């Protein structure tokens, strides 16, 4: 894994946006795998600025998001579709019809996952997959488990994830208990994987991801086997490693 150490969240965001911008400039019809959470917000801000000053054109881009809460629709301000519209899609010229997020409104999990797998097959190999890192090592909503799931599936969210994400909801009770997420296999088949990690609270898990065993108990650890994985992390997040 190639590691870029950034001074802070802003420098991390700027570096990650530069890498994504380079991808889109070199291949204007790129398929971008996108992520939500607080980690990529700054990256999206820099990308929006690059679009606004004419450096990057998103008109040929297709995007597929990692995950969505089961039960939330696009008008819910905690849904990941809403997040993407707010933080990126409304600020750049990506055609909205070429942006895909799992359908949280589909109550039948098998149906929702099969439909998203079909979309992923149609759009083809993801050129660059952006990822954040959960406090328990999850990527997308692939929680620690006994194996690495291949394709889109419905997950029961780990208690740690519910606690971490409750800050965005009125209370922990309001956090959905399930989500649809792209599988680890799909993530690993992306041509490039770009992980952004910031903050001292992520330092213990990042150390495990980089230096511990490669195990589904720490889902992000498998990224060390990816042929073209890039980590952009700030000093605080890397503070427990020798990097
Ligand atoms: C959420 C998302 C992940 C995200 C992670 C970390 O649960 N499903 O895609 O990477 O948690 O979030 P944050 O960047 O806010 O720490």
């Amino acid at each position: 894994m190639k590691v870029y150490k950034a001074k802070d969240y802003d420098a991390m965001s700027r570096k990650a946006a530069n890498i994504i911008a380079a991808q889109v400039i070199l291949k204007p019809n790129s398929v971008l795998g996108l992520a939500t959470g607080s980690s990529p917000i700054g990256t999206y801000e820099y990308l929006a600025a690059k679009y606004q000053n004419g450096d990057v054109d998103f008109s040929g881009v297709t995007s597929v998001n990692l995950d969505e809460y089961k039960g939330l629709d696009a008008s819910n301000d905690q849904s990941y579709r809403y997040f993407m519209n707010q933080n990126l899609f409304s600020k750049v010229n990506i055609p909205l019809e070429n942006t895909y997020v799992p359908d949280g409104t589909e109550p039948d999990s098998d149906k929702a996952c099969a439909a998203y797998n079909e979309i992923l097959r149609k759009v083809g190999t993801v050129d660059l997959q952006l990822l954040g890192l959960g406090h328990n090592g999850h990527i997308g909503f692939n929680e620690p488990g006994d194996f690495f799931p291949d394709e889109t599936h419905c997950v029961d969210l780990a208690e740690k994830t519910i606690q971490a994400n409750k800050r965005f909801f009125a209370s922990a009770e309001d956090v959905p208990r399930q989500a649809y997420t792209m599988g680890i296999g799909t993530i690993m088949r992306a041509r490039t994987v770009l992980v952004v990690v910031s903050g001292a609270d992520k330092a213990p898990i990042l150390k495990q991801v980089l230096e511990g065993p490669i195990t589904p108990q720490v889902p992000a650890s498998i990224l060390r086997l990816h042929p073209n994985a890039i980590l952009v992390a700030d000093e605080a997040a890397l503070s427990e490693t020798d990097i």
Side-chain angles (χ1 to χ4, degrees), residues 40-54:
I41 290 178
T43 304
Y44 294 149
E45 278 171 9
Y46 272 108
L47 281 176
K50 285 174 189 298
Y51 163 67
Q52 275 146 24
N53 69 24

Side-chain angles (χ1 to χ4, degrees), residues 1-20 38-40 42-43 46 128-133 192-199 202 206 209-210 223 228-238 243:
M1 186 165 350
K2 191 182 286 174
V3 182
Y4 289 105
K5 187 175 185 170
K7 189 161 183 38
D8 53 19
Y9 180 82
D10 184 65
M12 174 200 78
S13 303
R14 190 170 178 171
K15 173 68 84 181
N18 283 339
I19 292 168
I20 297 169
S38 49
S39 305
T43 304
Y46 272 108
L128 184 151
Q129 177 66 58
L130 178 63
L131 295 171
L133 175 67
T192 299
V193 171
L194 171 62
V195 195
V196 288
V197 188
S198 166
K202 296 277 173 75
L206 188 55
V209 167
L210 295 175
L223 299 174
N228 192 24
I230 305 167
L231 168 69
V232 185
D234 65 13
E235 287 175 3
L238 286 166
I243 297 166

